[in-house]
Amino acid sequence: MATAAWLLLPLSLLLVLSQVVHGYHYVGCYRDAGNRDLSVLASRGSMSVGKCNHVCTSRHFRFFGVQARKECWCGNSYGKYGAKPSRDCRDRCSGQSSEICGGRWRNSIYTTDITSGMHYIGCFVDNGVRDLSHLGGHGGMTINKCKNICKSRGYAFFGVQYADYCFCDNRYGKYGARPDSECNMHCNGDRSSLCGGPWRNNVYATGLKATVSISATGKPIRDSIAAKVRLMSAAIPAGVVCSSCLITSFRRQNVIHRSDSFPVSQLNARMSHYPASARNKLKALHFGANAKTTFEDSKIDIRPNHASKNTYFGIAHRSNNHIRLGMISTIITATLVHKYNVFNKRVCRKVFFWNRCKNHAIKQRRGYNGNEIRQIDAALQSETMRVFTENLGHIHV
């Protein structure tokens, strides 16, 4: 009877039970296209869901997809072409006919075993003042080797760079993220995996908890501000910025990064350090043991020769009777291209007994129209976000 009952279980339930045993989890059926949703073709031929999971997990990818019966694809993000109904993924796997392996231009997408504990975060810019400040080692580098080094030293994050270098820290991202395509060098100790690139870190979480101050959102204040920078950067209109036709150069002024940690009783005395519009928001911290506030403002000033934008924002939260606050601000000035209207004027002068006339081009200085002002504003915002990204590492609370 027990055997008969198992035979009656639907295929979908058997699939779920299989996932629980193996640790991977089904996400859904997703559309694919020529510019692949999951970027790495890891294997093809005799295919099963478990085999694809093993291949992508061993290469430290967070997601895998099986497609067209026999293809295995790996990646760290998915879904750019959207989800499709489950009935679109109905091809039986070539190596395990009881399992489904996507369809024509359809991926059956799963999370890999790597999503618990250690997991991949992304490709990040590095600089001479290192993003991950502790060198874990170099030579014969692999992702697992770097993870073990950094985890044994108690760090929450590690990065592999330039095929052979390992860095550790409890913070990352002060120079900003880049597309995964810029982290394209194979590890010297494992040619099947990628270890960053020139001044690019593949950053991973080791699985340990970072020992940094946490905001009311559950994230470090610096990381909360970094998320805000990314959000504001994403809001810059695509295709609008035309700095080459309107702006000749940028100049930054007064880059300020402030980190404060103080008792609530000192809040009124410290408010004078912040802009007037921020003070009104900070008053909210007087109320509630876990109050939180964000404050931001920007002003643009366009003159005939230059334009400037003053931008600031910050995040503050109160935990019981203590306040932690991070803020960053700057003024970006752009030198503008002179814009002219050109008129043709006929000028005549008398020579002997007849008039001699010539056409002269006359340039008249004009201002910027509404579309050009929007382009200048977008260019200033883009430069502001770049400066903010460079200076996030100075915020520590």
Side-chain angles (χ1 to χ4, degrees):
M1 289 297 293
T3 303
W6 276 103
L7 291 174
L8 294 174
L9 283 173
L11 179 61
S12 59
L13 181 56
L14 290 174
L15 179 63
V16 170
L17 291 172
S18 172
Q19 294 167 16
V20 172
V21 171
H22 292 288
Y24 53 83
H25 298 278
Y26 180 64
V27 176
C29 181
Y30 284 79
R31 181 172 172 257
D32 202 4
N35 183 18
R36 296 291 185 170
D37 190 20
L38 298 167
S39 57
V40 177
L41 177 61
S43 180
R44 65 185 307 167
S46 179
M47 189 55 58
S48 69
V49 176
K51 177 181 177 180
C52 189
N53 171 60
H54 175 74
V55 172
C56 294
T57 298
S58 67
R59 297 188 182 185
H60 306 283
F61 289 102
R62 298 180 66 190
F63 304 103
F64 71 92
V66 280
Q67 181 179 142
R69 299 184 62 247
K70 59 183 180 180
E71 295 180 359
C72 172
W73 294 85
C74 311
N76 290 307
S77 63
Y78 68 90
K80 62 185 175 185
Y81 301 115
K84 302 300 288 184
S86 295
R87 63 177 178 270
D88 280 17
C89 292
R90 58 188 178 186
D91 289 359
R92 299 280 176 171
C93 298
S94 59
Q96 180 61 268
S97 61
S98 65
E99 296 178 341
I100 299 297
C101 281
R104 181 177 172 81
W105 294 108
R106 298 291 185 268
N107 278 318
S108 294
I109 291 186
Y110 296 77
T111 63
T112 65
D113 295 336
I114 206 170
T115 53
S116 60
M118 185 194 87
H119 63 270
Y120 179 69
I121 296 172
C123 179
F124 288 81
V125 178
D126 201 7
N127 208 325
V129 180
R130 295 291 183 175
D131 186 25
L132 300 163
S133 57
H134 304 280
L135 178 63
H138 64 89
M141 193 52 59
T142 69
I143 293 171
N144 275 328
K145 178 179 178 179
C146 187
K147 180 202 74 172
N148 292 335
I149 292 170
C150 296
K151 191 171 183 178
S152 68
R153 297 179 185 180
Y155 291 108
F157 306 107
F158 71 94
V160 281
Q161 181 180 141
Y162 201 57
D164 215 30
Y165 289 83
C166 170
F167 295 93
C168 317
D169 210 331
N170 285 317
R171 303 172 185 270
Y172 69 90
K174 64 186 176 186
Y175 302 117
R178 298 299 299 166
D180 283 339
S181 59
E182 294 189 16
C183 289
N184 54 12
M185 297 183 70
H186 293 277
C187 304
N188 280 350
D190 177 11
R191 303 297 294 176
S192 68
S193 300
L194 297 176
C195 281
W199 296 109
R200 297 292 185 268
N201 280 317
N202 279 125
V203 175
Y204 294 78
T206 64
L208 298 180
K209 186 177 180 180
T211 55
V212 295
S213 301
I214 302 299
S215 73
T217 62
K219 298 179 180 178
I221 279 187
R222 182 187 61 81
D223 291 349
S224 298
I225 294 180
K228 181 69 174 176
V229 169
R230 289 193 294 272
L231 183 64
M232 292 180 73
S233 296
I236 297 171
V240 170
V241 177
C242 183
S243 57
S244 61
C245 61
L246 298 174
I247 297 172
T248 60
S249 63
F250 289 104
R251 185 175 74 256
R252 67 180 73 177
Q253 300 171 280
N254 304 329
V255 182
I256 298 171
H257 29 77
R258 187 186 299 277
S259 303
D260 274 347
S261 180
F262 52 87
V264 175
S265 59
Q266 297 181 13
L267 178 59
N268 288 337
R270 290 176 179 261
M271 277 190 187
S272 60
H273 299 162
Y274 298 94
S277 54
R279 290 176 220 153
N280 293 328
K281 294 287 192 74
L282 290 173
K283 289 177 183 177
L285 299 178
H286 281 298
F287 310 101
N290 293 298
K292 172 182 176 289
T293 188
T294 61
F295 48 92
E296 60 183 84
D297 197 10
S298 64
K299 295 179 182 178
I300 186 169
D301 180 25
I302 297 182
R303 304 291 177 89
N305 299 317
H306 69 275
S308 62
K309 189 167 188 178
N310 184 358
T311 307
Y312 75 85
F313 62 79
I315 295 174
H317 73 89
R318 173 180 171 178
S319 178
N320 296 322
N321 290 315
H322 205 80
I323 291 174
R324 289 190 173 91
L325 184 150
M327 173 185 161
I328 186 166
S329 67
T330 189
I331 300 173
I332 300 295
T333 300
T335 303
L336 301 182
V337 175
H338 294 325
K339 305 294 288 186
Y340 296 96
N341 285 327
V342 179
F343 301 92
N344 286 322
K345 185 176 181 180
R346 192 169 179 81
V347 179
C348 299
R349 63 190 182 94
K350 196 167 186 178
V351 178
F352 297 110
F353 300 103
W354 62 87
N355 290 333
R356 180 172 292 177
C357 298
K358 288 186 178 180
N359 287 325
H360 291 271
I362 298 175
K363 293 198 302 183
Q364 182 178 7
R365 184 75 173 273
R366 69 171 175 85
Y368 291 91
N369 61 39
N371 184 55
E372 289 171 334
I373 289 173
R374 285 191 291 272
Q375 292 178 30
I376 293 168
D377 187 25
L380 286 168
Q381 184 180 348
S382 178
E383 184 68 10
T384 298
M385 293 303 102
R386 190 180 69 80
V387 172
F388 279 2
T389 300
E390 290 177 358
N391 286 273
L392 284 172
H394 296 290
I395 299 175
H396 302 289
V397 288

